[in-house]
Amino acid sequence: MLRGAGVVAAIALVSGCTPQPVAGPDDWSLAPIPFRNSGSEAAPVGQPIDLASGMHVLSADGTGGFWTTSAGSWLHVGADGETLARFGAEPGDPLSQIGAMAPLSATELVVLQGDRVHVMPMVSVLDTSTMTMRDLPGDAVGDEGDFDYGDFEFGDVAVHDGDAIVVRYQPRPPDEYLDYEVLRIDLDSGARTLLHSGPVELDDAPGARPGVPPIGIDVDDAGRVYLATPSARIVLAADGTELSREPQVAEHPLVAVAPDGAALWWGGEPEQSDVQGVIVGGSSEAREAIEPRMHCADTASSDTLRRSDALRLSDAAGQHPLPFLCGANDAVWTGGSWVVATGGEGDGVLLRLAPPVGN
């Protein structure tokens, strides 16, 4: 990301006197997020940019801002939009191997590190004031019998009431492919409780190969667990009881939940909708990168997007397709709106996605 960002470091956030679109009271707004990309780790400086290589892991920071990382490139943006940290981790450093993260406190993140190829998958607590990690005890291979693969691989993580809620994969030879498990992990003792499990089929999310099919997870303030799998959108009670299940076919399923349980889900084909999204502010380059994701029914089957899973909202009133912002990398609720990471090399944008002011 640092190399790609250098190419666009001089981009101004407002292009002259060109009139900027304004979201109406019934519109969703999509606002590119600027950040400073140079200077020291603790004091980022320079002209803000809002277009670079795409980030792939997001977490709220516990105070209304967010952390994001991808391949060792780290960024911390505060609640007021200020760039609080910007740095790159060396290859092989644990900070370069983060697959998912979620906020434990204002100064701690629960992170999943390791890739099973080079490093044993591990649940850790990252102190963001020192950027040091405390690793939790792992599950060794064979603890529960001949077909126990231990911490074979982790998928995603959320935090509720001081515990980590983690997706873990387990191979199921000789007849099955994989199971996924939802574990509640005590972050002091490392003790684990199985909340839910289900099968992963061999033909699920073929675009993820050679990796395992992705499964997203999030938790609302009531402790309900939201699971986005390649085949379903699932909501569990805090004790693991299944509350709802909606089928889907998703290549890169994602879910990001507001405290009240309103959830954004990415997965499946776009549906027709009269809902409008408006790109608000940002550089012309950032708006141009977002634009192909504003009309998902027209672009989902083309080569325009690296990812094309459609977006929908679920809330107390039901399921609502949204026709914009397909193919997100990651998303998180923080500071009263969702932050969404999109794009890749040269067209990566972080943006705030806010619902209509009247809703």
Side-chain angles (χ1 to χ4, degrees):
M1 181 172 183
L2 296 178
R3 291 193 300 271
V7 177
V8 294
I11 291 174
L13 296 182
V14 178
S15 301
C17 297
T18 303
Q20 297 293 306
V22 176
D26 297 324
D27 297 331
W28 287 73
S29 66
L30 298 84
I33 299 171
F35 60 91
R36 300 185 186 276
N37 198 48
S38 58
S40 67
E41 173 181 335
V45 297
Q47 175 67 45
I49 65 171
D50 59 2
L51 179 73
S53 291
M55 298 300 241
H56 287 79
V57 180
L58 278 169
S59 172
D61 68 357
T63 59
F66 65 91
W67 283 93
T68 184
T69 184
S70 185
S73 180
W74 285 78
L75 170 68
H76 184 197
V77 175
D80 296 326
E82 69 278 26
T83 305
L84 300 178
R86 183 75 179 97
F87 63 92
E90 294 294 326
D93 187 294
L95 291 175
S96 71
Q97 300 167 338
I98 304 302
M101 56 188 183
L104 178 59
S105 71
T107 59
E108 293 177 304
L109 300 174
V110 178
V111 300
L112 304 182
Q113 59 170 312
D115 58 7
R116 186 165 49 85
V117 177
H118 304 99
V119 178
M120 177 73 176
M122 193 174 302
V123 181
S124 306
V125 177
L126 172 64
D127 184 334
T128 57
S129 63
T130 62
M131 300 309 287
T132 57
M133 290 197 212
R134 170 175 62 88
D135 298 333
L136 273 67
D139 181 13
V141 174
D143 278 0
E144 299 297 332
D146 292 340
F147 293 121
D148 174 31
Y149 288 80
D151 291 336
F152 177 78
E153 190 158 338
F154 291 118
D156 200 5
V157 62
V159 173
H160 183 257
D161 281 351
D163 293 337
I165 313 297
V166 177
V167 174
R168 185 179 79 157
Y169 298 94
Q170 283 284 285
R172 292 296 182 233
D175 299 322
E176 305 294 336
Y177 173 47
L178 289 170
D179 280 354
Y180 71 87
E181 301 174 335
V182 179
L183 306 175
R184 179 180 288 272
I185 302 178
D186 186 300
L187 293 172
D188 292 321
S189 67
R192 303 177 176 200
T193 302
L194 177 64
L195 298 179
H196 176 82
S197 65
V200 179
E201 303 299 335
L202 184 60
D203 57 355
D204 281 344
R209 296 171 185 164
V212 298
I215 293 176
I217 195 170
D218 209 348
V219 182
D220 66 17
D221 275 1
R224 291 183 292 259
V225 178
Y226 298 71
L227 279 171
T229 82
S231 60
R233 303 185 297 275
I234 303 168
V235 181
L236 309 173
D239 64 359
T241 302
E242 187 171 310
L243 301 176
S244 67
R245 177 184 292 258
E246 298 287 338
Q248 68 175 1
V249 178
E251 281 285 326
H252 300 278
L254 293 173
V255 62
V257 184
D260 64 357
L264 293 182
W265 305 83
W266 277 266
E269 295 295 322
E271 301 177 44
Q272 294 298 321
S273 171
D274 294 330
V275 178
Q276 297 293 320
V278 177
I279 304 171
V280 178
S283 68
S284 59
E285 290 82 359
R287 294 194 300 272
E288 183 179 348
I290 298 170
E291 181 60 33
R293 296 175 172 83
M294 298 303 291
H295 310 285
C296 296
D298 299 328
T299 60
S301 60
S302 74
D303 296 332
T304 304
L305 302 178
R306 295 173 177 83
R307 296 179 175 183
S308 59
D309 280 298
L311 173 61
R312 57 182 44 80
L313 169 74
S314 68
D315 59 14
Q319 302 268 336
H320 317 281
L322 302 180
F324 48 81
L325 208 58
C326 41
N329 300 335
D330 202 1
V332 66
W333 174 273
T334 184
S337 66
W338 284 276
V339 171
V340 183
T342 65
E345 183 72 29
D347 69 346
V349 181
L350 296 163
L351 57 89
R352 287 195 178 273
L353 177 63
V357 295
N359 185 4

